[in-house]
Amino acid sequence: LFAWAPIERIKQTFKNTLRLARRGVSPTNRMKKFYRSPNPAANVKRRSEAVVVDMVYFNVPQLYGGFTKAMFYCGVQSLYASLHGVESGSSTAFLGTLQEEVRKRGAMSKLISDRGTNIVSKQVIDFLRTLFIDNWQSEPLYQHQNGAERRYQDVKANTERTLSRVGAPATFAFLCMLWIIYVMNHTAMAILGWKTPMQMLEGQVPN
């Protein structure tokens, strides 16, 4: 089935590829048209890194949405960050941001969080199971185990400094944070070998 490739090449192929679906060899299991995918996990782009997530709170409702909360995502290897505003801290609202993250950037290999009730809800766990995404939660009161904390501190510091320097009100914090994240995702970092998080995520040099 591998066009008579050498055994070693086949072994390395299995070692360096995903195997999220299996197909039997019974006579009844023939090729046919499906109206629903039998293996949804094989239909999405994969993101070969763990992603940490944490909730961000704003003191006042934000412009263009009235958000008082947002979900902050950050890749462990790429350090690529993203932010999604949410109107509430419910599991449904979080699931929507997770689905958007997967749709735009691929299904991560693992989701790391701080054991928030909205993140470990049945809806979220079912979605993670469907796409074969592992999940891990840090211990209570041990925020340092969540890798998003350090990256978010940099984003928050840059946002507060920018708002202060231009004299913008607190209602612009969400929009400013989106801009700061965009800049940081396109800025080379020494820890990444002077590559940008965007390049580490997508594998191509960005403009």
Side-chain angles (χ1 to χ4, degrees):
L1 296 177
F2 286 89
W4 295 276
I7 296 297
E8 183 60 26
R9 184 181 301 171
I10 296 176
K11 289 181 179 179
Q12 293 299 325
T13 299
F14 273 96
K15 184 178 179 181
N16 292 282
T17 54
L18 296 174
R19 295 178 298 283
L20 303 179
R22 178 172 297 178
R23 187 172 184 84
V25 293
S26 64
T28 58
N29 194 9
R30 59 178 63 90
M31 295 293 289
K32 60 182 180 181
K33 182 176 182 178
F34 288 94
Y35 291 92
R36 290 185 61 187
S37 172
N39 300 295
N43 296 337
V44 299
K45 181 176 68 173
R46 308 302 300 191
R47 181 174 178 177
S48 300
E49 65 172 341
V51 172
V52 290
V53 61
D54 202 5
M55 181 168 281
V56 178
Y57 298 91
F58 300 102
N59 294 329
V60 296
Q62 298 297 295
L63 289 178
Y64 306 112
F67 305 122
T68 56
K69 304 178 182 68
M71 299 307 303
F72 178 79
Y73 291 85
C74 180
V76 173
Q77 281 82 35
S78 68
L79 298 183
Y80 183 93
S82 58
L83 190 71
H84 302 271
V86 291
E87 296 179 355
S88 69
S90 67
S91 59
T92 302
F94 167 69
L95 178 59
T97 68
L98 178 60
Q99 291 172 330
E100 188 70 3
E101 190 72 13
V102 170
R103 183 179 73 87
K104 288 185 175 180
R105 299 171 186 95
M108 61 285 294
S109 59
K110 179 188 293 186
L111 184 68
I112 302 174
S113 63
D114 58 2
R115 200 179 290 275
T117 55
N118 58 337
I119 300 177
V120 295
S121 68
K122 182 179 183 302
Q123 289 176 295
V124 174
I125 297 301
D126 287 344
F127 178 75
L128 297 177
R129 284 173 176 163
T130 300
L131 296 185
F132 286 83
I133 299 174
D134 194 10
N135 67 319
W136 184 87
Q137 294 85 37
S138 59
E139 302 174 64
L141 305 180
Y142 285 83
Q143 290 89 346
H144 65 278
Q145 294 180 349
N146 188 333
E149 292 287 344
R150 183 68 184 89
R151 186 66 166 164
Y152 173 66
Q153 289 176 8
D154 293 338
V155 171
K156 182 180 179 181
N158 288 335
T159 300
E160 291 177 345
R161 181 168 59 249
T162 301
L163 291 173
S164 176
R165 287 185 176 181
V166 303
T171 53
F172 281 87
F174 177 73
L175 292 178
C176 183
M177 191 171 291
L178 286 177
W179 177 71
I180 288 294
I181 288 174
Y182 179 86
V183 172
M184 293 177 66
N185 284 339
H186 291 77
T187 304
M189 302 179 64
I191 195 173
L192 299 178
W194 293 118
K195 295 181 181 179
T196 65
M198 177 68 75
Q199 181 177 355
M200 297 297 293
L201 174 67
E202 297 186 346
Q204 58 184 4
V205 180
N207 286 321

PDB file of all heavy atoms in Angstrom, residues 168-195:
ATOM      1  N   ALA A 168      -5.322  57.417  25.313  1.00  0.00           N
ATOM      2  CA  ALA A 168      -6.597  56.787  24.951  1.00  0.00           C
ATOM      3  C   ALA A 168      -7.334  56.318  26.206  1.00  0.00           C
ATOM      4  O   ALA A 168      -6.711  55.897  27.178  1.00  0.00           O
ATOM      5  CB  ALA A 168      -6.358  55.609  24.023  1.00  0.00           C
ATOM      6  N   PRO A 169      -8.659  56.382  26.208  1.00  0.00           N
ATOM      7  CA  PRO A 169      -9.438  55.922  27.369  1.00  0.00           C
ATOM      8  C   PRO A 169      -9.430  54.397  27.486  1.00  0.00           C
ATOM      9  O   PRO A 169      -9.071  53.687  26.542  1.00  0.00           O
ATOM     10  CB  PRO A 169     -10.843  56.446  27.083  1.00  0.00           C
ATOM     11  CG  PRO A 169     -10.909  56.568  25.600  1.00  0.00           C
ATOM     12  CD  PRO A 169      -9.523  56.963  25.162  1.00  0.00           C
ATOM     13  N   ALA A 170      -9.862  53.913  28.639  1.00  0.00           N
ATOM     14  CA  ALA A 170      -9.845  52.474  28.923  1.00  0.00           C
ATOM     15  C   ALA A 170     -10.775  51.688  28.018  1.00  0.00           C
ATOM     16  O   ALA A 170     -10.611  50.477  27.854  1.00  0.00           O
ATOM     17  CB  ALA A 170     -10.212  52.227  30.384  1.00  0.00           C
ATOM     18  N   THR A 171     -11.745  52.363  27.407  1.00  0.00           N
ATOM     19  CA  THR A 171     -12.672  51.655  26.519  1.00  0.00           C
ATOM     20  C   THR A 171     -11.995  51.183  25.228  1.00  0.00           C
ATOM     21  O   THR A 171     -12.579  50.411  24.481  1.00  0.00           O
ATOM     22  CB  THR A 171     -13.858  52.562  26.149  1.00  0.00           C
ATOM     23  OG1 THR A 171     -13.360  53.808  25.637  1.00  0.00           O
ATOM     24  CG2 THR A 171     -14.730  52.835  27.369  1.00  0.00           C
ATOM     25  N   PHE A 172     -10.774  51.652  24.975  1.00  0.00           N
ATOM     26  CA  PHE A 172     -10.028  51.238  23.784  1.00  0.00           C
ATOM     27  C   PHE A 172      -9.080  50.070  24.082  1.00  0.00           C
ATOM     28  O   PHE A 172      -8.313  49.674  23.210  1.00  0.00           O
ATOM     29  CB  PHE A 172      -9.211  52.407  23.229  1.00  0.00           C
ATOM     30  CG  PHE A 172     -10.001  53.381  22.420  1.00  0.00           C
ATOM     31  CD1 PHE A 172     -10.653  54.439  23.023  1.00  0.00           C
ATOM     32  CD2 PHE A 172     -10.123  53.234  21.041  1.00  0.00           C
ATOM     33  CE1 PHE A 172     -11.382  55.345  22.287  1.00  0.00           C
ATOM     34  CE2 PHE A 172     -10.860  54.140  20.293  1.00  0.00           C
ATOM     35  CZ  PHE A 172     -11.495  55.194  20.915  1.00  0.00           C
ATOM     36  N   ALA A 173      -9.100  49.542  25.294  1.00  0.00           N
ATOM     37  CA  ALA A 173      -8.126  48.522  25.699  1.00  0.00           C
ATOM     38  C   ALA A 173      -8.184  47.283  24.811  1.00  0.00           C
ATOM     39  O   ALA A 173      -7.149  46.738  24.415  1.00  0.00           O
ATOM     40  CB  ALA A 173      -8.350  48.142  27.156  1.00  0.00           C
ATOM     41  N   PHE A 174      -9.388  46.810  24.484  1.00  0.00           N
ATOM     42  CA  PHE A 174      -9.519  45.600  23.663  1.00  0.00           C
ATOM     43  C   PHE A 174      -8.945  45.818  22.262  1.00  0.00           C
ATOM     44  O   PHE A 174      -8.177  44.993  21.762  1.00  0.00           O
ATOM     45  CB  PHE A 174     -10.987  45.183  23.576  1.00  0.00           C
ATOM     46  CG  PHE A 174     -11.234  43.988  22.690  1.00  0.00           C
ATOM     47  CD1 PHE A 174     -10.872  42.717  23.105  1.00  0.00           C
ATOM     48  CD2 PHE A 174     -11.831  44.134  21.447  1.00  0.00           C
ATOM     49  CE1 PHE A 174     -11.097  41.611  22.294  1.00  0.00           C
ATOM     50  CE2 PHE A 174     -12.057  43.048  20.628  1.00  0.00           C
ATOM     51  CZ  PHE A 174     -11.686  41.782  21.055  1.00  0.00           C
ATOM     52  N   LEU A 175      -9.306  46.938  21.631  1.00  0.00           N
ATOM     53  CA  LEU A 175      -8.799  47.228  20.287  1.00  0.00           C
ATOM     54  C   LEU A 175      -7.284  47.425  20.313  1.00  0.00           C
ATOM     55  O   LEU A 175      -6.571  46.959  19.416  1.00  0.00           O
ATOM     56  CB  LEU A 175      -9.474  48.478  19.729  1.00  0.00           C
ATOM     57  CG  LEU A 175     -10.969  48.360  19.420  1.00  0.00           C
ATOM     58  CD1 LEU A 175     -11.512  49.692  18.927  1.00  0.00           C
ATOM     59  CD2 LEU A 175     -11.220  47.270  18.399  1.00  0.00           C
ATOM     60  N   CYS A 176      -6.791  48.089  21.344  1.00  0.00           N
ATOM     61  CA  CYS A 176      -5.354  48.302  21.472  1.00  0.00           C
ATOM     62  C   CYS A 176      -4.632  46.979  21.667  1.00  0.00           C
ATOM     63  O   CYS A 176      -3.563  46.747  21.093  1.00  0.00           O
ATOM     64  CB  CYS A 176      -5.072  49.250  22.639  1.00  0.00           C
ATOM     65  SG  CYS A 176      -3.320  49.659  22.837  1.00  0.00           S
ATOM     66  N   MET A 177      -5.220  46.098  22.462  1.00  0.00           N
ATOM     67  CA  MET A 177      -4.596  44.801  22.709  1.00  0.00           C
ATOM     68  C   MET A 177      -4.542  43.964  21.432  1.00  0.00           C
ATOM     69  O   MET A 177      -3.556  43.262  21.169  1.00  0.00           O
ATOM     70  CB  MET A 177      -5.365  44.058  23.805  1.00  0.00           C
ATOM     71  CG  MET A 177      -4.672  42.822  24.326  1.00  0.00           C
ATOM     72  SD  MET A 177      -5.489  42.110  25.790  1.00  0.00           S
ATOM     73  CE  MET A 177      -5.110  43.391  27.010  1.00  0.00           C
ATOM     74  N   LEU A 178      -5.595  44.045  20.601  1.00  0.00           N
ATOM     75  CA  LEU A 178      -5.577  43.353  19.316  1.00  0.00           C
ATOM     76  C   LEU A 178      -4.423  43.851  18.454  1.00  0.00           C
ATOM     77  O   LEU A 178      -3.737  43.059  17.795  1.00  0.00           O
ATOM     78  CB  LEU A 178      -6.903  43.566  18.580  1.00  0.00           C
ATOM     79  CG  LEU A 178      -8.127  42.809  19.083  1.00  0.00           C
ATOM     80  CD1 LEU A 178      -9.356  43.219  18.279  1.00  0.00           C
ATOM     81  CD2 LEU A 178      -7.923  41.303  18.994  1.00  0.00           C
ATOM     82  N   TRP A 179      -4.218  45.170  18.454  1.00  0.00           N
ATOM     83  CA  TRP A 179      -3.128  45.744  17.654  1.00  0.00           C
ATOM     84  C   TRP A 179      -1.768  45.324  18.205  1.00  0.00           C
ATOM     85  O   TRP A 179      -0.872  44.950  17.445  1.00  0.00           O
ATOM     86  CB  TRP A 179      -3.243  47.268  17.642  1.00  0.00           C
ATOM     87  CG  TRP A 179      -2.132  47.940  16.919  1.00  0.00           C
ATOM     88  CD1 TRP A 179      -1.905  47.949  15.571  1.00  0.00           C
ATOM     89  CD2 TRP A 179      -1.060  48.705  17.490  1.00  0.00           C
ATOM     90  NE1 TRP A 179      -0.757  48.673  15.272  1.00  0.00           N
ATOM     91  CE2 TRP A 179      -0.236  49.152  16.441  1.00  0.00           C
ATOM     92  CE3 TRP A 179      -0.748  49.058  18.809  1.00  0.00           C
ATOM     93  CZ2 TRP A 179       0.899  49.916  16.659  1.00  0.00           C
ATOM     94  CZ3 TRP A 179       0.382  49.836  19.026  1.00  0.00           C
ATOM     95  CH2 TRP A 179       1.194  50.254  17.955  1.00  0.00           C
ATOM     96  N   ILE A 180      -1.601  45.358  19.528  1.00  0.00           N
ATOM     97  CA  ILE A 180      -0.349  44.950  20.157  1.00  0.00           C
ATOM     98  C   ILE A 180      -0.027  43.498  19.816  1.00  0.00           C
ATOM     99  O   ILE A 180       1.115  43.140  19.478  1.00  0.00           O
ATOM    100  CB  ILE A 180      -0.420  45.141  21.679  1.00  0.00           C
ATOM    101  CG1 ILE A 180      -0.382  46.632  22.032  1.00  0.00           C
ATOM    102  CG2 ILE A 180       0.700  44.396  22.383  1.00  0.00           C
ATOM    103  CD1 ILE A 180       0.923  47.317  21.705  1.00  0.00           C
ATOM    104  N   ILE A 181      -1.037  42.625  19.886  1.00  0.00           N
ATOM    105  CA  ILE A 181      -0.834  41.209  19.564  1.00  0.00           C
ATOM    106  C   ILE A 181      -0.417  41.051  18.108  1.00  0.00           C
ATOM    107  O   ILE A 181       0.472  40.255  17.785  1.00  0.00           O
ATOM    108  CB  ILE A 181      -2.116  40.410  19.868  1.00  0.00           C
ATOM    109  CG1 ILE A 181      -2.307  40.294  21.383  1.00  0.00           C
ATOM    110  CG2 ILE A 181      -2.071  39.023  19.228  1.00  0.00           C
ATOM    111  CD1 ILE A 181      -3.617  39.646  21.780  1.00  0.00           C
ATOM    112  N   TYR A 182      -1.052  41.821  17.212  1.00  0.00           N
ATOM    113  CA  TYR A 182      -0.690  41.760  15.792  1.00  0.00           C
ATOM    114  C   TYR A 182       0.778  42.145  15.595  1.00  0.00           C
ATOM    115  O   TYR A 182       1.517  41.468  14.873  1.00  0.00           O
ATOM    116  CB  TYR A 182      -1.592  42.698  14.989  1.00  0.00           C
ATOM    117  CG  TYR A 182      -1.270  42.730  13.509  1.00  0.00           C
ATOM    118  CD1 TYR A 182      -1.816  41.790  12.643  1.00  0.00           C
ATOM    119  CD2 TYR A 182      -0.413  43.688  12.993  1.00  0.00           C
ATOM    120  CE1 TYR A 182      -1.520  41.806  11.286  1.00  0.00           C
ATOM    121  CE2 TYR A 182      -0.113  43.719  11.639  1.00  0.00           C
ATOM    122  CZ  TYR A 182      -0.665  42.785  10.795  1.00  0.00           C
ATOM    123  OH  TYR A 182      -0.362  42.804   9.459  1.00  0.00           O
ATOM    124  N   VAL A 183       1.197  43.222  16.254  1.00  0.00           N
ATOM    125  CA  VAL A 183       2.591  43.667  16.138  1.00  0.00           C
ATOM    126  C   VAL A 183       3.546  42.615  16.701  1.00  0.00           C
ATOM    127  O   VAL A 183       4.561  42.277  16.083  1.00  0.00           O
ATOM    128  CB  VAL A 183       2.790  45.020  16.847  1.00  0.00           C
ATOM    129  CG1 VAL A 183       4.273  45.386  16.891  1.00  0.00           C
ATOM    130  CG2 VAL A 183       2.003  46.111  16.154  1.00  0.00           C
ATOM    131  N   MET A 184       3.232  42.070  17.864  1.00  0.00           N
ATOM    132  CA  MET A 184       4.108  41.083  18.499  1.00  0.00           C
ATOM    133  C   MET A 184       4.187  39.800  17.679  1.00  0.00           C
ATOM    134  O   MET A 184       5.231  39.151  17.629  1.00  0.00           O
ATOM    135  CB  MET A 184       3.621  40.799  19.916  1.00  0.00           C
ATOM    136  CG  MET A 184       3.760  41.989  20.861  1.00  0.00           C
ATOM    137  SD  MET A 184       3.107  41.684  22.522  1.00  0.00           S
ATOM    138  CE  MET A 184       4.239  40.414  23.123  1.00  0.00           C
ATOM    139  N   ASN A 185       3.089  39.425  17.020  1.00  0.00           N
ATOM    140  CA  ASN A 185       3.105  38.221  16.178  1.00  0.00           C
ATOM    141  C   ASN A 185       3.991  38.398  14.948  1.00  0.00           C
ATOM    142  O   ASN A 185       4.432  37.416  14.348  1.00  0.00           O
ATOM    143  CB  ASN A 185       1.690  37.870  15.736  1.00  0.00           C
ATOM    144  CG  ASN A 185       0.875  37.223  16.836  1.00  0.00           C
ATOM    145  OD1 ASN A 185       1.423  36.684  17.796  1.00  0.00           O
ATOM    146  ND2 ASN A 185      -0.431  37.273  16.705  1.00  0.00           N
ATOM    147  N   HIS A 186       4.228  39.645  14.548  1.00  0.00           N
ATOM    148  CA  HIS A 186       5.046  39.930  13.371  1.00  0.00           C
ATOM    149  C   HIS A 186       6.409  40.506  13.727  1.00  0.00           C
ATOM    150  O   HIS A 186       7.102  41.046  12.861  1.00  0.00           O
ATOM    151  CB  HIS A 186       4.310  40.897  12.435  1.00  0.00           C
ATOM    152  CG  HIS A 186       3.106  40.307  11.773  1.00  0.00           C
ATOM    153  ND1 HIS A 186       1.903  40.132  12.422  1.00  0.00           N
ATOM    154  CD2 HIS A 186       2.923  39.823  10.516  1.00  0.00           C
ATOM    155  CE1 HIS A 186       1.037  39.581  11.600  1.00  0.00           C
ATOM    156  NE2 HIS A 186       1.620  39.383  10.437  1.00  0.00           N
ATOM    157  N   THR A 187       6.810  40.405  14.992  1.00  0.00           N
ATOM    158  CA  THR A 187       8.099  40.926  15.447  1.00  0.00           C
ATOM    159  C   THR A 187       9.028  39.774  15.797  1.00  0.00           C
ATOM    160  O   THR A 187       8.648  38.865  16.547  1.00  0.00           O
ATOM    161  CB  THR A 187       7.908  41.835  16.681  1.00  0.00           C
ATOM    162  OG1 THR A 187       6.983  42.875  16.363  1.00  0.00           O
ATOM    163  CG2 THR A 187       9.229  42.449  17.099  1.00  0.00           C
ATOM    164  N   ALA A 188      10.256  39.800  15.256  1.00  0.00           N
ATOM    165  CA  ALA A 188      11.219  38.722  15.495  1.00  0.00           C
ATOM    166  C   ALA A 188      11.603  38.659  16.971  1.00  0.00           C
ATOM    167  O   ALA A 188      11.695  39.685  17.654  1.00  0.00           O
ATOM    168  CB  ALA A 188      12.471  38.940  14.643  1.00  0.00           C
ATOM    169  N   MET A 189      11.841  37.435  17.469  1.00  0.00           N
ATOM    170  CA  MET A 189      12.183  37.234  18.879  1.00  0.00           C
ATOM    171  C   MET A 189      13.441  36.388  18.987  1.00  0.00           C
ATOM    172  O   MET A 189      13.612  35.409  18.253  1.00  0.00           O
ATOM    173  CB  MET A 189      11.027  36.541  19.610  1.00  0.00           C
ATOM    174  CG  MET A 189       9.708  37.284  19.550  1.00  0.00           C
ATOM    175  SD  MET A 189       8.398  36.390  20.418  1.00  0.00           S
ATOM    176  CE  MET A 189       9.040  36.419  22.103  1.00  0.00           C
ATOM    177  N   ALA A 190      14.306  36.764  19.920  1.00  0.00           N
ATOM    178  CA  ALA A 190      15.556  36.031  20.123  1.00  0.00           C
ATOM    179  C   ALA A 190      15.292  34.583  20.521  1.00  0.00           C
ATOM    180  O   ALA A 190      15.985  33.661  20.082  1.00  0.00           O
ATOM    181  CB  ALA A 190      16.404  36.736  21.178  1.00  0.00           C
ATOM    182  N   ILE A 191      14.271  34.359  21.360  1.00  0.00           N
ATOM    183  CA  ILE A 191      13.969  33.008  21.839  1.00  0.00           C
ATOM    184  C   ILE A 191      13.521  32.098  20.707  1.00  0.00           C
ATOM    185  O   ILE A 191      13.586  30.862  20.815  1.00  0.00           O
ATOM    186  CB  ILE A 191      12.899  33.071  22.953  1.00  0.00           C
ATOM    187  CG1 ILE A 191      12.836  31.747  23.712  1.00  0.00           C
ATOM    188  CG2 ILE A 191      11.537  33.424  22.379  1.00  0.00           C
ATOM    189  CD1 ILE A 191      11.935  31.783  24.916  1.00  0.00           C
ATOM    190  N   LEU A 192      13.079  32.682  19.595  1.00  0.00           N
ATOM    191  CA  LEU A 192      12.648  31.918  18.420  1.00  0.00           C
ATOM    192  C   LEU A 192      13.729  31.891  17.350  1.00  0.00           C
ATOM    193  O   LEU A 192      13.457  31.569  16.195  1.00  0.00           O
ATOM    194  CB  LEU A 192      11.363  32.511  17.841  1.00  0.00           C
ATOM    195  CG  LEU A 192      10.134  32.524  18.758  1.00  0.00           C
ATOM    196  CD1 LEU A 192       8.955  33.183  18.057  1.00  0.00           C
ATOM    197  CD2 LEU A 192       9.768  31.122  19.214  1.00  0.00           C
ATOM    198  N   GLY A 193      14.957  32.235  17.711  1.00  0.00           N
ATOM    199  CA  GLY A 193      16.030  32.276  16.726  1.00  0.00           C
ATOM    200  C   GLY A 193      15.869  33.434  15.762  1.00  0.00           C
ATOM    201  O   GLY A 193      16.231  33.338  14.596  1.00  0.00           O
ATOM    202  N   TRP A 194      15.347  34.551  16.290  1.00  0.00           N
ATOM    203  CA  TRP A 194      15.088  35.764  15.508  1.00  0.00           C
ATOM    204  C   TRP A 194      14.128  35.508  14.350  1.00  0.00           C
ATOM    205  O   TRP A 194      14.264  36.076  13.281  1.00  0.00           O
ATOM    206  CB  TRP A 194      16.384  36.406  15.022  1.00  0.00           C
ATOM    207  CG  TRP A 194      17.187  36.957  16.148  1.00  0.00           C
ATOM    208  CD1 TRP A 194      18.430  36.587  16.535  1.00  0.00           C
ATOM    209  CD2 TRP A 194      16.783  37.984  17.068  1.00  0.00           C
ATOM    210  NE1 TRP A 194      18.837  37.294  17.638  1.00  0.00           N
ATOM    211  CE2 TRP A 194      17.838  38.172  17.990  1.00  0.00           C
ATOM    212  CE3 TRP A 194      15.640  38.772  17.225  1.00  0.00           C
ATOM    213  CZ2 TRP A 194      17.785  39.098  19.024  1.00  0.00           C
ATOM    214  CZ3 TRP A 194      15.579  39.683  18.249  1.00  0.00           C
ATOM    215  CH2 TRP A 194      16.642  39.844  19.138  1.00  0.00           C
ATOM    216  N   LYS A 195      13.169  34.652  14.597  1.00  0.00           N
ATOM    217  CA  LYS A 195      12.050  34.473  13.684  1.00  0.00           C
ATOM    218  C   LYS A 195      10.804  35.060  14.339  1.00  0.00           C
ATOM    219  O   LYS A 195      10.764  35.301  15.542  1.00  0.00           O
ATOM    220  CB  LYS A 195      11.829  32.991  13.357  1.00  0.00           C
ATOM    221  CG  LYS A 195      12.980  32.355  12.596  1.00  0.00           C
ATOM    222  CD  LYS A 195      12.695  30.899  12.292  1.00  0.00           C
ATOM    223  CE  LYS A 195      13.858  30.263  11.542  1.00  0.00           C
ATOM    224  NZ  LYS A 195      13.611  28.826  11.254  1.00  0.00           N
TER     225      LYS A 195
END
